[in-house]
């Protein structure tokens, strides 16, 4: 009896294990390329007829990881050396002789290295030898850190150890830790931390300092007369009270610090590095006071359906039964009523208007911190965009200026007039005239906009350097969406000014106009730092032309020239066009009071809007006769033959004709971050993945391990995650274009060691408010800054065979409801803000891959928006790469988007688009078939000219090769299956024996 | 009532565990169907539903009479197919929750639905296997029945 039960137990157990193992194996086999990426294996073997041929078309620049890691850490540390911004210093810094210091706040023990979640989270979490602690960074600069205080914070757990919650600093040191404060009181460094990540925006009060934090700061003050505040937050914390607090002697603004930022903090405090960072966002006195914040949260369409589940309510629209629409479309929307007045553009423009006494700028609308009734810049803003201090002093002198051939040129001589060596940033700003034409035609103009910038080398005391800045006038033009319906340059007076940030430059412009502090300015500007250009002719720029006389990347790339005439294509993204004029009031400097944004009232989507939201009737199939579209025609061609050939070469058709329908579908409808090998084309496939936010999401490949121990406690490089970079917001604060390019080159080299060909990033969305969850992964609130640094980083990243994939294109400026929410915006704001941020990376740096966004533009998923992906991205900007979706988890990211410019879907196992991408569907719809074929064309064109072809000669054969993990799984399946069958058989036999025994 | 008492008196621990597996399979098919039929669900997999229903029917049959002791084996196989298909189709949701990235702020919804379904499926699978290790009929019960 026992034996029978034993066999039954074994049979049941092993049958169950066999079936589950088989399921897991089948799952793994559908994601073979993704698993290969994780394990560093491949499913192919390249057989080159000529084994001596040099097939390393793109080579690593370093010999091994030891050499590379030293360079990488050096780049990372120089980034934080130059990205940390000194915003306040009453002379206490640098700490030249002080030794014994106390570190306060849980953030001092647990720095914010990068985002709090998602792909840009710092790698090697908790490994102090990789991610340097602040204590180590301070000690490296000769400081002695209060040990008991350090141990106190190290011993905290639970909520008290959370460096991103609003209870930061809740615990106050006691006992020995308190005694340390006085003993190590030569200086007190208080670290305040905030952090956000993918998937959700910050709470509305998140960037307000808490009473608990004030208590910690007060404790620091009690122990030392030198209190330095470190704002370790990738988004602006409210610092106004500390700017005004004489007992807080200095403030450093630090984003996500990356692996070596702690060292930079130590060096800056000691003075061995002179801070040279500049703010990439404005620091308002109240984090809720921006124009964008007034309506930044999504609203729900009033006529949406709803369902309850899991304790939450979902809002959606349903497509009619029998239609080709998609039910479940997210029913959230937001109207970007601030228009172009994002970030500093709001504050500075309203400031100028208040000085000039126009536009009701002094209205009480929008007052958060202003004293005395009306709006006052000095009360509402703590630190302006582009602001930063130094330990030395510089003068700037404009030595030449010209506007010719549609390019503005300015040379600025910088002199270090102080006693300490340092780097200086020259920032060039412009003001366009706000004319009667603009007011009539609703063309909004920011009072000041960033044009370009440069950074000197380290200048010794007394040394000089002249920087030459140039920028295309196209970047200063405004988009007239109501009348000219294209880019325009008004006739009138333009001002070009330099200054320590946007506000300083604007003050210089106001000085040029004859205004002084007596007119309400925050200070007397310097008219000598301004040049004027009188544009005599109103100009339309519907076919702008670019040359290398304008803005170029470090490696000489400039904006593409195309034949596409620029005209309105986003009118359907404006609710005033969908629901009637007056539905939305956009903020206008013509009347700040009357147009001040308010929270969206709940509106009902019209029937037409619902059709678009549900993709109902949006896609029109092509002819059912697809006999003219070739496939499976022979095997004469292979991909390597296409190296170096232009996109429109005739040979591409022959190559694509050769592909089977299954191969065509497989390339676009499978895998998360890889493309399977296409054996018929001798293409080995690719590995692609995140990211640029903190670095490639992966460990270094085992084949690159060296004999050295890379870090203390980490035995080999394959145990090291490549995500070590500081946050993108910190990188932007360097205001150093050469360094941005160098970071890109570093990321490119990283990709070789991690095994990626396309690296997803940089993130080029904007900081619409401080609360946007992925701000650490994006550079700035300013589109022009993003344009410039995005171009430089992308150019560096693509300089050696690796592909950049800027993301998330476009309008993904918030995280809440990111899957499918509908941002409505007017076309001027769309082009001058969100789209401009991407334009540099795509059109100047020629990014070969772009990741589209999860959200919509108006009612249309961006991935199914012909105007955005085809007209603007490809037509106007000349993009010749391929478009990849973000994680395509939701049905609205439908396969039919291939007909609107999306080329590949990012798919987790089981999340395919098989219902749309299948043989029968392609053979029955010429539009779908041609679109899928074209998508393959774009994908292969990108990879044939990349490091993906390393190892593949012109006469290579690529054959399938089973990776070890697959063999292991198959073996396990067979073994479990055989044993299970055996156990079942033995159970049957034992039953028979028992029956015979009874008989 | 007497007959039920007599019926249960003959049953061993394995019966109750198998019955538990059937119960969890029943709860699982309901939870799964409701969750996947909602607007934000992905739609039910017919294979999962069929396997669960078959498992419920077979389980009840074997609970009534454990034909040659094959009950746990058949139940294990059917529920394993359902579990395997569940893992296969829900893998992207597991990964999604693992990476902590939310869709339209619905982390909680996704996690709760996924967690409850996973618990049901795991418990029914384990219960089916466990029932194979113990007697479903008390020793002597069959002999008594044949007397």
């Amino acid at each position: 009896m026992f034996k029978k039960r034993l066999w039954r137990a074994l049979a049941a157990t092993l049958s169950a294990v066999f079936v589950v193992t088989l399921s897991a194996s089948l799952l793994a086999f559908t994601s073979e390329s993704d698993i290969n990426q994780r394990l560093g294996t491949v499913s192919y073997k390249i057989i080159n007829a000529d084994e001596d041929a040099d097939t390393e078309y793109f080579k690593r620049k370093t010999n091994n990881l030891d050499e590379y890691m030293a360079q990488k850490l050096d780049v990372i540390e120089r980034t934080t050396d130059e990205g940390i911004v000194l915003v306040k210093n009453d002379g206490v810094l640098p700490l030249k002789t002080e030794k014994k210091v106390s570190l306060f706040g849980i953030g001092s023990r647990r720095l914010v290295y990068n985002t709090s979640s998602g792909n840009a989270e710092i790698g090697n979490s908790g490994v102090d030898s990789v991610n340097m602690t602040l204590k180590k960074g301070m000690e490296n600069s000769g400081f002695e850190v209060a040990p008991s205080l350090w141990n106190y914070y190290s011993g905290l757990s639970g909520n008290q150890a959370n460096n991103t919650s609003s209870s930061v600093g809740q615990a106050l040191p006691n006992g020995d830790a308190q005694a340390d404060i006085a003993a190590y009181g030569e200086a007190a460094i208080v670290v305040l931390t905030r952090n956000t990540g993918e998937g959700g925006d910050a709470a509305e009060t998140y960037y307000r300092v808490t009473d608990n934090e004030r208590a910690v700061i007060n404790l620091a003050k009690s122990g030392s007369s030198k209190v330095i505040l470190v704002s370790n937050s990738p988004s602006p914390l409210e610092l106004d009270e500390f700017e005004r607090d004489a007992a807080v002697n200095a403030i450093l603004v630090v984003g996500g610090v990356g692996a070596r930022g702690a060292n930079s903090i130590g060096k800056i405090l000691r003075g061995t590095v002179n801070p040279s960072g500049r703010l990439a966002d404005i620091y308002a006195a109240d984090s809720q006071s921006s124009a964008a914040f007034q309506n930044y949260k999504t609203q729900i369409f009033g006529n949406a359906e709803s369902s309850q589940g899991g304790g939450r309510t979902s809002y959606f629209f349903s497509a009619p039964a029998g239609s080709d629409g998609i039910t479940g479309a997210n029913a959230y929307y937001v109207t970007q009523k601030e228009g172009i007045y994002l970030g500093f553009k709001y504050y500075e423009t309203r400031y100028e208007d208040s000085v000039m006494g126009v536009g009701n700028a002094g209205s009480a609308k929008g007052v958060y911190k202003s004293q005395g009734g009306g709006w006052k810049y000095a009360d509402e803003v703590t630190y302006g965009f582009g602001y930063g201090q130094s330990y030395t002093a510089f003068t700037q002198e404009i030595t030449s200026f010209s506007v010719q051939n549609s390019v503005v040129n300015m040379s600025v001589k910088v002199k270090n007039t102080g006693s300490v060596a340092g780097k200086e940033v020259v920032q060039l700003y412009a003001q366009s005239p706000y004319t009667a034409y603009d007011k009539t035609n609703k063309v909004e103009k920011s009072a000041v906009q960033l044009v370009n910038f440069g950074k000197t080398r380290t200048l010794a005391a007394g040394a000089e350097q002249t920087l030459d800045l140039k920028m295309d006038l196209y970047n200063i033009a405004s988009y007239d969406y109501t009348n000219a319906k294209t880019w325009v340059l008004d006739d009138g007076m333009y001002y070009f000014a330099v200054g320590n940030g946007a506000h300083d430059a604007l003050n210089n412009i106001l000085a040029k106009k004859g205004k002084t502090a007596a007119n309400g300015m925050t200070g007397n500007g310097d008219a000598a730092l301004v040049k004027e250009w009188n544009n005599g002719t109103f100009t339309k720029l519907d076919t702008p032309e670019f040359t290398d006389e304008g803005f170029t990347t470090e490696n000489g790339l400039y904006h593409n020239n195309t034949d596409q005439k620029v005209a309105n294509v986003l009118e359907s993204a404006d609710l005033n066009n969908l629901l009637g004029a007056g539905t939305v009031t956009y903020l206008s400097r013509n009347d700040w009071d009357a147009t001040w944004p308010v929270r969206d009232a709940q509106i009902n989507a019209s029937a037409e809007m619902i059709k678009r939201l549900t993709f109902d009737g949006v896609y029109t199939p092509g002819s059912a006769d697809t006999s003219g579209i070739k496939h499976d025609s022979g095997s004469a061609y292979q991909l390597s033959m296409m190296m170096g050939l232009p996109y429109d070469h005739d040979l591409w058709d022959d190559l694509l004709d050769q592909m089977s329908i299954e191969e065509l579908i497989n390339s676009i409808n499978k895998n998360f971050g890889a493309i399977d090998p296409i054996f018929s084309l001798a293409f080995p496939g690719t590995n692609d993945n995140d990211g640029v936010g903190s670095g490639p999401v992966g460990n270094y490949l085992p084949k690159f391990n060296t004999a050295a121990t890379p870090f203390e406690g980490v035995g080999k490089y394959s145990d090291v995650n490549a995500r070590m970079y500081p946050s993108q917001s910190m990188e932007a604060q360097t205001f150093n274009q050469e360094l941005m390019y160098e970071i890109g080159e570093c990321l490119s080299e990283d990709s070789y060691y991690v095994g990626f060909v396309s690296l997803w990033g940089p993130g080029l969305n904007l900081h619409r408010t401080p609360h946007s969850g992925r701000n650490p992964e994006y550079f700035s609130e300013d589109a022009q800054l993003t344009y410039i640094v995005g171009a430089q980083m992308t150019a560096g990243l693509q300089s050696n065979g690796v592909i950049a994939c800027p993301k998330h294109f476009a309008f993904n400026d918030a995280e809440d409801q990111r899957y499918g929410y509908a941002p409505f915006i007017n076309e001027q704001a769309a082009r001058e803000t969100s789209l401009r941020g991407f334009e540099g990376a795509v059109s100047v740096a020629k990014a070969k891959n772009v990741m589209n966004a999860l959200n919509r533009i108006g009612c249309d998923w961006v991935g199914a928006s012909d105007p955005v992906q085809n007209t603007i991205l490809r037509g106007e900007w000349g993009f010749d790469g391929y478009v990849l979706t973000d994680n395509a988890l939701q049905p609205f990211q439908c396969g039919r988007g291939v007909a609107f410019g999306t080329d590949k879907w990012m798919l987790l196992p089981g999340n395919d688009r098989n219902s749309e991408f299948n043989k029968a569907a392609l053979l029955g719809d010429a539009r779908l078939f041609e679109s899928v074929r074209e998508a393959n064309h774009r994908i292969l064109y990108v990879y044939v000219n990349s490091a993906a072809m390393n190892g593949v000669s012109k006469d290579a054969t690529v054959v399938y090769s089973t990776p070890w993990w697959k063999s292991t799984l198959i073996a396990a399946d067979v073994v479990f299956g055989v044993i299970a069958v055996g156990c079942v058989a033995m159970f049957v036999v034992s039953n028979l024996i028992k029956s015979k025994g009874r008989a | 009532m007497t007959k039920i008492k007599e019926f249960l008196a003959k049953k061993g621990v394995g019966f109750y565990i198998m019955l538990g597996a059937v119960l969890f399979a029943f709860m699982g098919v309901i939870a799964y169907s409701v969750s996947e039929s909602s607007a934000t669900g992905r739609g039910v997999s017919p294979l999962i539903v069929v396997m669960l229903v078959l498992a419920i029917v077979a389980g009840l049959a074997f609970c009534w009479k454990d034909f040659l002791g094959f009950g746990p084996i058949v139940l294990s196989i059917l529920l394993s197919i359902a579990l395997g298909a569940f893992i296969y189709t829900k893998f992207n949701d597991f990964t999604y929750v693992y990476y902590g990235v939310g869709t339209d702020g619905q982390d909680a919804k996704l996690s709760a639905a996924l967690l409850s379904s996973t618990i049901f499926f795991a418990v029914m699978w384990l219960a089916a296997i466990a029932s194979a290790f113990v007697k479903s009929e008390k020793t002597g019960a069959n002999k008594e029945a044949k007397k």
Side-chain angles (χ1 to χ4, degrees):
Chain A
M1 185 64 181
F2 173 73
K3 270 195 177 172
K4 181 185 163 189
R5 195 152 19 101
L6 176 65
W7 287 120
R8 184 176 76 173
L10 285 172
T13 305
L14 287 165
S15 298
V17 169
F18 165 65
V19 171
V20 172
T21 308
L22 187 63
S23 302
S25 298
L26 293 173
L27 181 70
F29 299 160
T30 63
S31 306
E32 190 163 339
S33 293
D34 285 329
I35 293 177
N36 281 337
Q37 189 182 104
R38 289 280 172 193
L39 298 177
T41 51
V42 294
S43 294
Y44 62 86
K45 189 177 172 187
I46 301 171
I47 303 169
N48 291 319
D50 179 5
E51 291 185 1
D52 294 328
D54 182 7
T55 56
E56 291 302 296
Y57 309 108
F58 298 97
K59 297 178 171 55
R60 294 195 320 266
K61 293 180 178 175
T62 52
N63 293 308
N64 54 53
L65 263 173
D66 293 334
E67 183 186 338
Y68 170 64
M69 187 55 66
Q71 291 182 13
K72 177 178 177 177
L73 291 174
D74 174 65
V75 168
I76 287 172
E77 189 160 333
R78 281 191 284 119
T79 302
T80 45
D81 283 352
E82 293 197 29
I84 292 173
V85 185
L86 178 66
V87 293
K88 179 182 181 182
N89 185 22
D90 65 5
V92 70
L93 292 179
L95 301 170
K96 291 181 186 170
T97 57
E98 292 80 351
K99 281 183 95 68
K100 290 179 182 287
V101 300
S102 294
L103 304 181
F104 290 85
I106 184 60
S108 66
R109 177 59 186 95
R110 301 186 67 232
L111 288 170
V112 167
Y113 291 95
N114 212 304
T115 66
S116 64
S117 66
N119 77 86
E121 219 179 328
I122 201 76
N124 314 292
S125 181
V127 182
D128 291 348
S129 58
V130 179
N131 299 320
M132 188 182 287
T133 64
L134 184 56
K135 178 172 184 277
K136 179 70 176 163
M138 298 294 286
E139 288 171 348
N140 286 345
S141 287
F143 293 103
E144 292 175 32
V145 170
S148 295
L149 195 55
W150 178 259
N151 292 338
Y152 169 78
Y153 283 113
S154 300
L156 294 178
S157 61
N159 202 34
Q160 292 182 343
N162 187 336
N163 67 349
T164 63
S165 80
S166 58
S167 65
V168 167
Q170 188 174 47
L172 283 181
N174 50 30
D176 289 343
Q178 281 243 353
D180 254 3
I181 293 170
Y184 287 79
E186 291 183 85
I189 292 100
V190 185
V191 181
L192 301 184
T193 50
R194 294 287 188 279
N195 206 2
T196 54
E198 282 195 58
D201 294 325
E204 291 186 355
T205 57
Y206 188 59
Y207 291 101
R208 295 197 165 144
V209 175
T210 67
D211 288 338
N212 293 327
E213 289 170 316
R214 290 189 187 90
V216 172
I217 294 169
N218 288 335
L219 185 65
K221 290 177 187 174
S222 71
S224 176
S225 61
K226 295 179 181 176
V227 176
I228 298 112
L229 196 58
V230 175
S231 174
N232 178 204
S233 169
S235 290
L237 197 57
E238 291 181 8
L239 297 175
D240 201 68
E241 63 188 277
F242 306 113
E243 165 64 22
R244 299 172 195 276
D245 184 351
V248 173
N249 307 97
I251 302 176
L252 292 175
V253 167
V254 173
V257 298
R260 287 293 176 270
N263 226 19
S264 298
I265 294 173
K267 287 189 290 182
I268 284 174
L269 292 175
R270 181 58 84 195
T272 49
V273 165
N274 191 345
S276 62
R278 298 290 183 266
L279 295 176
D281 292 309
I282 196 165
Y283 271 62
D286 191 312
S287 57
Q288 298 182 6
S289 64
S290 67
F293 184 86
Q294 309 312 307
N295 190 41
Y296 92 100
K297 277 203 169 296
T298 53
Q299 180 58 282
I300 301 165
F301 284 110
N303 53 343
E305 299 162 66
S306 65
S307 75
Q308 297 279 342
R312 293 187 64 106
T313 306
S314 309
Y315 298 95
F316 57 94
F317 289 106
S318 297
S323 74
D324 67 347
I326 302 162
T327 285
N330 191 329
Y332 292 85
Y333 70 94
V334 71
T335 313
Q336 296 191 355
K337 294 179 175 177
E338 72 276 10
I340 68 163
Y341 298 114
L342 209 59
F344 78 86
K345 289 185 177 175
Y346 156 62
Y347 297 93
E348 302 302 337
T349 307
R350 191 165 182 179
Y351 166 69
E352 184 186 51
D353 286 351
S354 64
V355 169
M356 303 299 277
V358 298
N360 289 323
S363 152
K365 292 267 182 72
V367 164
Y368 276 79
K369 294 288 192 185
S370 299
Q371 305 295 312
W375 189 90
K376 295 179 184 60
Y377 180 94
D379 294 335
E380 297 290 344
V381 175
T382 310
Y383 307 114
F385 173 87
Y387 175 76
Q389 295 185 22
S390 171
Y391 291 151
T392 188
F394 295 95
T395 58
Q396 296 186 14
E397 178 191 344
I398 300 173
T399 56
S400 73
F401 171 77
S402 67
V403 178
Q404 54 191 35
N405 300 330
S406 299
V407 173
V408 57
N409 288 278
M410 181 181 280
S411 296
V412 178
K413 184 169 75 177
V414 177
K415 182 172 181 177
N416 185 347
T417 57
S419 58
V420 177
K423 291 182 164 226
E424 172 69 323
V425 176
V426 174
Q427 302 171 54
L428 174 60
Y429 291 86
Q431 181 183 93
S432 307
Y434 184 50
T435 66
Y437 173 92
D438 296 329
K439 291 173 188 173
T440 303
N441 295 292
K442 300 180 182 176
V443 182
E444 293 298 322
K445 293 282 184 71
S446 175
V448 65
Q449 55 179 322
L450 180 69
V451 176
N452 205 347
F453 58 90
K455 197 164 195 176
T456 66
R457 60 180 183 273
T458 302
L459 295 176
E464 296 179 351
Q465 183 181 352
T466 297
L467 295 182
D468 301 310
L469 303 179
K470 54 181 183 173
M471 183 52 68
D472 307 272
L473 278 182
Y474 167 79
N475 288 68
I476 301 158
S478 300
Y479 195 86
D480 173 3
Y481 71 104
T482 64
N483 189 38
K485 301 189 181 183
T486 191
W487 295 100
V488 299
L489 279 167
D490 278 297
D491 53 326
M493 188 65 75
Y494 288 73
Y495 296 91
F496 292 89
V498 293
N500 185 10
H503 187 65
D504 195 40
L506 181 58
N507 270 346
N508 296 339
I509 292 170
L510 287 167
K512 191 72 172 177
K513 292 181 178 179
K515 300 297 180 186
T516 67
N519 299 109
M521 285 173 64
T522 55
N524 291 321
D526 184 352
L529 294 177
V530 183
K531 292 296 181 188
E532 293 166 308
W533 172 58
N534 195 345
N535 181 27
T537 313
F538 179 91
T539 314
K540 281 190 192 179
L541 293 176
D542 53 3
T543 48
E545 289 183 14
F546 303 90
T547 67
D548 61 359
E549 290 183 35
F551 173 70
T552 60
T553 62
E554 290 297 306
N555 54 349
L557 302 173
Y558 59 91
H559 197 293
N560 284 332
N561 288 304
T562 69
D563 297 327
Q564 178 79 44
K565 220 170 174 181
V566 178
N568 275 9
V569 293
L570 296 176
E571 289 177 348
S572 62
D574 190 338
L575 276 179
N576 287 333
N577 295 325
L578 295 172
L579 296 176
T583 302
V584 177
T585 301
Y586 292 107
L587 182 62
S588 171
R589 67 183 299 190
N590 203 17
D591 192 337
W592 295 99
D593 186 272
T595 62
W596 181 247
V598 295
R599 175 100 168 100
D600 270 328
Q602 197 172 44
I603 58 168
N604 288 344
S606 67
E608 180 57 34
M609 289 169 68
I610 293 173
K611 280 179 77 75
R612 295 183 80 135
L613 286 164
T614 56
F615 208 68
D616 174 17
V618 174
Y619 174 80
T620 306
S623 166
D625 178 11
T626 58
S627 56
I629 304 173
K630 292 182 185 173
H631 57 92
D632 292 282
S633 0
S635 57
Y637 304 97
Q638 55 189 53
L639 187 62
S640 56
M641 296 172 179
M642 309 308 298
M643 282 186 201
L645 296 185
Y647 183 79
D648 54 2
H649 195 283
D650 289 341
L651 208 51
W652 276 108
D653 278 330
D654 297 320
L655 186 90
L656 292 166
D657 289 347
Q658 193 172 290
M659 293 179 72
S660 68
I661 292 179
E662 289 76 11
E663 285 173 335
L664 289 169
I665 291 172
N666 216 38
S667 297
I668 73 170
N669 184 40
K670 194 178 172 207
N671 294 324
F672 190 81
I675 293 183
D676 280 353
I678 304 175
F679 298 108
S680 65
L681 302 184
F683 173 53
T686 75
N687 269 334
D688 310 312
N689 217 308
D690 276 314
V692 170
S694 62
V697 178
N699 286 17
Y700 293 107
L701 295 176
K703 66 181 179 183
F704 293 119
N705 280 331
T706 67
T709 299
F711 298 97
E712 185 185 321
V714 182
K716 43 193 192 314
Y717 283 105
S718 49
D719 292 331
V720 178
N721 192 280
R723 290 182 292 174
M724 301 177 180
Y725 296 82
S727 63
Q728 280 193 213
S729 50
M730 167 83 100
E731 291 168 345
Q733 287 178 179
T734 65
F735 271 74
N736 185 332
Q737 295 190 45
E738 291 93 338
L739 186 54
M740 293 304 296
Y741 183 86
E742 201 177 343
I743 295 171
E745 288 185 301
C746 200
L747 286 160
S748 172
E749 191 76 352
D750 239 335
S751 301
Y752 280 97
Y753 285 109
V754 178
F756 295 163
V757 174
S758 179
L759 197 61
W760 302 337
L764 297 177
N765 299 102
L766 302 180
H767 301 173
R768 185 167 171 241
T769 70
H771 305 76
S772 305
R774 290 182 90 159
N775 278 354
E777 292 183 63
Y778 308 145
F779 290 119
S780 170
E781 66 190 21
D782 185 55
Q784 182 69 358
L785 177 60
T786 303
Y787 177 101
I788 294 168
V789 298
Q792 299 295 4
M793 182 181 274
T794 300
L797 183 49
Q798 293 200 152
S799 61
N800 191 30
V802 171
I803 309 297
C805 182
K807 60 183 189 181
H808 312 83
F809 184 68
F811 310 102
N812 182 206
D813 303 312
E815 283 297 286
D816 284 349
Q817 286 84 42
R818 62 176 173 159
Y819 268 89
Y821 85 94
F824 294 100
I825 190 171
N826 68 50
E827 191 149 357
Q828 180 188 13
R831 285 182 178 272
E832 291 186 24
T833 64
S834 210
L835 291 172
R836 176 55 56 83
F838 281 87
E839 194 172 353
V842 173
S843 197
V844 178
K846 331 262 179 249
K848 293 301 184 195
N849 196 186
V850 159
M851 183 189 294
N852 61 31
L854 301 170
N855 50 268
R856 302 169 185 276
I857 172 61
C859 299
D860 306 317
W861 170 46
V862 172
S865 171
D866 192 70
V868 170
Q869 298 199 133
N870 286 329
T871 308
I872 294 175
L873 181 67
R874 292 187 165 98
E876 294 177 19
W877 295 358
F879 174 69
D880 64 354
Y882 80 91
V883 176
L884 168 72
T885 69
D886 200 336
N887 195 349
L889 287 175
Q890 295 284 337
F892 74 84
Q893 298 161 283
C894 59
R896 284 161 287 167
V898 72
F900 298 89
T902 298
D903 300 305
K904 188 186 180 307
W905 273 251
M906 186 189 297
L907 300 168
L908 286 167
N911 192 36
D912 52 65
R913 297 292 184 273
N914 289 350
S915 61
E916 294 173 282
F917 294 136
N918 57 71
K919 191 167 183 176
L922 262 62
L923 287 173
D925 180 349
R927 184 182 182 192
L928 186 68
F929 200 164
E930 290 281 7
S931 299
V932 170
R933 184 184 152 98
E934 189 60 18
N936 275 268
H937 184 183
R938 291 170 180 152
I939 291 168
L940 293 173
Y941 171 73
V942 166
Y943 287 116
V944 77
N945 296 303
S946 76
M949 296 303 287
N950 273 358
V952 183
S953 68
K954 301 270 185 186
D955 53 7
T957 310
V958 178
V959 298
Y960 183 76
S961 171
T962 308
W964 65 263
W965 60 268
K966 193 172 183 182
S967 307
T968 306
L969 277 176
I970 293 172
D973 292 335
V974 169
V975 166
F976 280 129
V978 165
I979 295 176
V981 168
C983 289
V984 170
M986 288 307 297
F987 175 68
V988 170
V989 165
S990 66
N991 252 322
L992 287 171
I993 291 172
K994 187 172 176 231
S995 300
K996 273 191 184 169
R998 281 204 198 115
Chain B
M1 194 66 186
T2 311
K3 283 194 175 173
I4 293 173
K5 277 188 184 172
E6 284 174 7
F7 174 79
L8 290 175
K10 299 172 196 168
K11 296 299 178 182
V13 172
F15 163 81
Y16 293 100
I17 296 176
M18 198 155 55
L19 191 63
V22 170
L23 259 169
F24 271 93
F26 183 71
M27 290 191 287
V29 75
I30 293 173
Y32 175 73
S33 302
V34 167
S35 164
E36 297 306 312
S37 300
S38 71
T40 52
R42 301 185 192 285
V44 295
S45 163
L47 176 64
I48 294 175
V49 173
V50 165
M51 286 300 121
L52 287 175
V53 170
L54 281 175
I56 292 166
V57 170
L60 288 172
F62 280 111
C63 282
W64 174 67
K65 188 172 174 61
D66 192 8
F67 302 99
L68 299 176
F70 268 96
I73 297 175
V74 172
L75 204 59
S76 295
I77 291 172
L78 292 172
L79 292 178
S80 297
I81 296 172
L83 177 63
F86 178 78
I87 293 171
Y88 187 94
T89 55
K90 300 297 280 182
F91 178 78
N92 53 336
D93 286 347
F94 285 119
T95 320
Y96 199 67
V97 173
Y98 172 76
Y99 282 112
V101 292
T103 104
D104 59 39
Q106 290 190 331
D107 266 340
K109 178 178 188 299
L110 184 64
S111 298
L114 193 62
L115 186 64
S116 58
S117 299
T118 306
I119 288 172
F120 286 137
F121 277 67
V123 170
M124 71 184 185
W125 183 70
L126 290 169
I129 295 171
S131 70
F133 284 82
V134 290
K135 298 182 219 179
S136 54
E137 307 258 335
K138 283 182 181 164
T139 307
N142 282 333
K143 291 179 186 172
E144 283 292 326
K146 283 177 181 172
K147 274 185 185 171

